[in-house]
Amino acid sequence: MQSDKLPPKENFSEWYHELLMIGEIVDNRYPVKGMCVWFPFGFAIRKNVYNIIRELLDVDHYEALFPLMIPENEFMKEAQHIKGFENEVYWVTNGGSSPLEVKLALRPTSETAIYPMFKLWIRSHADLPLRVYQIVNTFRYETKHTRPLIRLREITSFKEAHTAHSTWEEAAQQVEIAIERYSEFYRRLAIPFLVSRRPNWDKFPGADYTKALDVIMPDGRTLQVGTAHHLGFTFSKTYDITYETLNGEQELVSQTCYGISERCIAALISVHGDDKGLVLPWEVAPVQVVIIPILLGNKETTLEVCKSIRNRLQEACIRVQLDTGDERPGAKFYKWEMKGVPIRLEIGPKDIDKNVVTLARRDGIKKIIPIGTLIESILSEAKEFHKAINDNARKFMEKNIREVASIEEAEEYTKQGVAIVSWCGEEDCGRILEDKVEANMLGEPQYSHFAETQCVVCRKMTTKRTYLARQY
Ligand code: A5A
Ligand code: ZN
């Protein structure tokens, strides 16, 4: 039994874990560490969220599906990749009681499953660029503290895209396109984020470089919610993926890959939620509007009006629920607020007499709306609601980033938020920084420019900066 009292969001960790249960997102009681069960309500959110990713990628990617198991010989081909993942791989060694001739890895990510097939699929320049993605479960034997939706051993919602190009430059362009698509994705979830280029010692195993999106969580720590990797020629050399050029020569393809997991839902819940529970953006809320009848006087008439309004909303493709349960209205308000429903309509006999309804947004705004223009009003309030939760989230993010001038200040500030410090870009200085500040370097902020100043470690002049943060 769990209590249905939510701790205040201030106690972020307890709030988060409790809300996943009472908000019916995921159940962490499954008897394998790091593996969670999606409740139907959480799964409905997931479906809506992943529909956005699909919509954004389907424009110019193909969705595909590769097997879960990877033969050891394929998995072990790329040395840098092995080094990055070998301690995190689950191995299948038996079929029934017979040992397998070739051990099988459960994919921790799918480069080594996909690229042997790319070798077969790509013949000539006409096959390029090739862009595919899949949404699958992946397995990582994480040794750091596991957390639902954040650090899982079975990642159930791993969206990975893999692309192949005729030149390195075109692949670099694809990394930018990936970052742009992910940015659009997070804008639609009203989640502000930081984009940075990871330092070389933190890039994806086998990549030339990695760019990442990070979200600042309520406790000031950052969560990496998406990454795009320029793979250069690393894997095309290993897996011999070549194409015939216009002149009839064989050339290696240049590759990228980029991924997002259910961490996007962890961010969604954490960034927008409040002391009352979930706050869901309109586009992904399983229930967008809830109608609460106020049953005083002529109950029949009130229910009739509520039903006809529900039908009108359904015809307008709004996900609506009419709550005709026995609880008192106050108890229903509380329940649906906890579920994050963006808009609540309260309809009682007095409203009906005046041909109006009371509309209450999940962010606290309340209005009286004429029934005649209800659909238009709801749709415009939905837009306003998106803007309001987005502004609120942005304010929080901006309040928790600061440029600081010294190692000491960075050490102090990263206790509560993300510090920006000047860093010459040298690995030696970076390592010293991470060590002294006791925080992680997210890397260079992208698409921003800074004045010239001294590296906080070596004092060389530089226009470079890095984010420093305590990371999830
Ligand atoms: N093949 C590329 C795309 C790849 O695997 N990249 S990655 O290792 O960076 O993973 C992609 C994203 O998955 C990460 O940015 C992170 O947001 C998420 N992720 C990684 N490990 C995870 C874990 N154990 N649980 C949940 N999400 C995870
Ligand atoms: Zn330096």
Side-chain angles (χ1 to χ4, degrees):
M1 283 292 285
Q2 73 280 357
S3 85
D4 55 7
K5 187 87 187 78
L6 188 63
K9 194 180 180 184
E10 235 174 59
N11 305 340
F12 173 63
S13 180
E14 295 95 74
W15 174 90
Y16 177 75
H17 286 268
E18 221 21 67
L19 185 53
L20 291 181
M21 276 305 278
I22 63 181
E24 295 181 320
I25 308 293
V26 289
D27 194 331
N28 194 28
R29 293 173 300 180
Y30 189 75
V32 180
K33 185 174 142 68
M35 301 190 186
C36 293
V37 181
W38 286 94
F39 283 111
F41 186 76
F43 200 74
I45 298 173
R46 177 194 186 272
K47 232 186 283 186
N48 295 334
V49 168
Y50 278 74
N51 278 344
I52 302 178
I53 303 189
R54 283 202 164 90
E55 187 191 312
L56 291 170
L57 293 182
D58 283 344
V59 177
D60 53 6
H61 294 61
Y62 296 110
E63 185 170 358
L65 191 55
F66 289 78
L68 163 64
M69 296 199 212
I70 305 170
E72 183 179 22
N73 52 310
E74 292 295 354
F75 189 79
M76 291 303 198
K77 269 187 187 155
E78 212 319 292
Q80 294 177 65
H81 194 71
I82 300 169
K83 219 172 131 223
F85 283 104
E86 74 185 338
N87 290 326
E88 293 187 5
V89 178
Y90 285 92
W91 288 103
V92 175
T93 56
N94 282 61
S97 51
S98 344
L100 294 175
E101 255 168 54
V102 180
K103 280 201 297 182
L104 299 169
L106 299 188
R107 60 181 165 218
T109 166
S110 306
E111 285 72 13
T112 59
I114 294 177
Y115 300 163
M117 301 309 295
F118 270 19
K119 174 181 166 57
L120 303 175
W121 291 355
I122 297 168
R123 302 263 69 129
S124 86
H125 58 89
D127 300 320
L128 299 175
L130 176 62
R131 303 182 193 94
V132 301
Y133 76 93
Q134 61 175 359
I135 299 174
V136 295
N137 55 349
T138 58
F139 295 82
R140 293 184 182 184
Y141 187 73
E142 296 277 1
T143 48
K144 278 214 241 164
H145 188 61
T146 58
R147 269 202 182 77
L149 304 179
I150 290 177
R151 179 162 286 104
L152 295 160
R153 287 183 171 175
E154 180 181 4
I155 310 170
T156 66
S157 316
F158 194 72
K159 191 289 299 167
E160 51 179 325
H162 296 266
T163 72
H165 306 266
S166 51
T167 64
W168 193 95
E169 289 71 24
E170 193 186 294
Q173 199 47 47
Q174 188 64 36
V175 170
E176 299 310 310
I177 292 169
I179 296 290
E180 189 38 56
R181 298 283 163 93
Y182 286 179
S183 302
E184 180 58 21
F185 171 65
Y186 282 107
R187 282 193 285 272
R188 281 170 68 171
L189 299 178
I191 298 175
F193 50 86
L194 307 172
V195 184
S196 57
R197 181 177 159 136
R198 288 281 183 266
N200 274 340
W201 58 93
D202 193 27
K203 63 187 186 184
F204 185 70
D208 285 1
Y209 63 85
T210 290
K211 291 191 180 191
L213 275 68
D214 294 279
V215 168
I216 306 183
M217 297 290 263
D219 59 358
R221 291 164 73 178
T222 59
L223 181 66
Q224 173 184 293
V225 292
T227 33
H229 315 289
H230 195 314
L231 300 178
F233 300 100
T234 308
F235 290 91
S236 58
K237 276 183 205 148
T238 304
Y239 290 92
D240 187 32
I241 312 172
T242 61
Y243 69 100
E244 190 176 302
T245 65
L246 277 169
N247 311 328
E249 285 152 59
Q250 291 294 318
E251 295 265 9
L252 291 170
V253 300
S254 189
Q255 293 177 274
T256 80
C257 67
Y258 31 102
I260 274 187
S261 77
E262 54 259 61
R263 279 186 186 181
C264 63
I265 294 169
L268 182 78
I269 290 165
S270 307
V271 166
H272 298 310
D274 63 16
D275 288 351
K276 292 178 180 171
L278 299 169
V279 175
L280 297 173
W282 177 262
E283 199 178 350
V284 298
V287 179
Q288 294 171 311
V289 175
V290 64
I291 302 174
I292 312 286
I294 312 294
L295 296 171
L296 301 165
N298 190 341
K299 294 182 183 176
E300 299 296 302
T301 313
T302 304
L303 276 178
E304 277 315 304
V305 173
C306 287
K307 280 183 192 160
S308 90
I309 288 178
R310 179 200 53 198
N311 295 347
R312 267 174 64 200
L313 297 197
Q314 269 171 349
E315 280 161 27
C317 295
I318 293 170
R319 295 188 289 269
V320 57
Q321 195 134 327
L322 168 59
D323 188 345
T324 56
D326 292 332
E327 299 132 295
R328 288 192 327 218
K332 290 181 183 175
F333 292 177
Y334 177 81
K335 179 177 78 187
W336 292 107
E337 275 174 348
M338 208 272 299
K339 289 282 197 187
V341 176
I343 291 177
R344 174 177 81 223
L345 302 178
E346 302 162 18
I347 306 176
K350 282 190 203 149
D351 303 302
I352 293 171
D353 283 346
K354 294 185 208 141
N355 240 327
V356 297
V357 304
T358 303
L359 179 152
R361 274 177 15 198
R362 181 62 179 81
D363 60 334
I365 305 285
K366 253 187 161 186
K367 290 181 180 173
I368 307 292
I369 305 285
I371 292 182
T373 55
L374 186 57
I375 306 275
E376 294 88 322
S377 297
I378 288 176
L379 295 178
S380 97
E381 290 303 324
K383 264 196 201 132
E384 287 298 315
F385 175 68
H386 186 89
K387 190 174 169 325
I389 60 173
N390 189 62
D391 287 352
N392 193 32
R394 176 156 293 279
K395 257 186 234 146
F396 174 83
M397 185 176 87
E398 280 162 8
K399 222 174 61 199
N400 287 285
I401 310 179
R402 180 186 297 172
E403 180 151 11
V404 299
S406 68
I407 292 175
E408 293 70 34
E409 277 180 62
E411 190 183 348
E412 196 47 41
Y413 193 70
T414 49
K415 288 182 183 140
Q416 70 164 85
V418 177
I420 301 178
V421 295
S422 57
W423 165 54
C424 62
E426 292 300 325
E427 177 158 351
D428 286 351
C429 289
R431 298 273 191 189
I432 291 172
L433 248 180
E434 283 193 324
D435 227 44
K436 291 205 167 155
V437 175
E438 287 179 41
N440 294 106
M441 196 176 258
L442 304 183
E444 252 188 273
Q446 299 295 287
Y447 325 113
S448 1
H449 296 281
F450 296 93
E452 196 168 52
T453 179
Q454 287 179 319
C455 167
V456 292
V457 183
C458 71
R459 301 283 159 209
K460 263 207 293 278
M461 292 304 278
T462 179
T463 56
K464 288 194 175 135
R465 298 290 189 281
T466 179
Y467 292 123
L468 276 167
R470 287 174 308 126
Q471 259 181 319
Y472 268 99

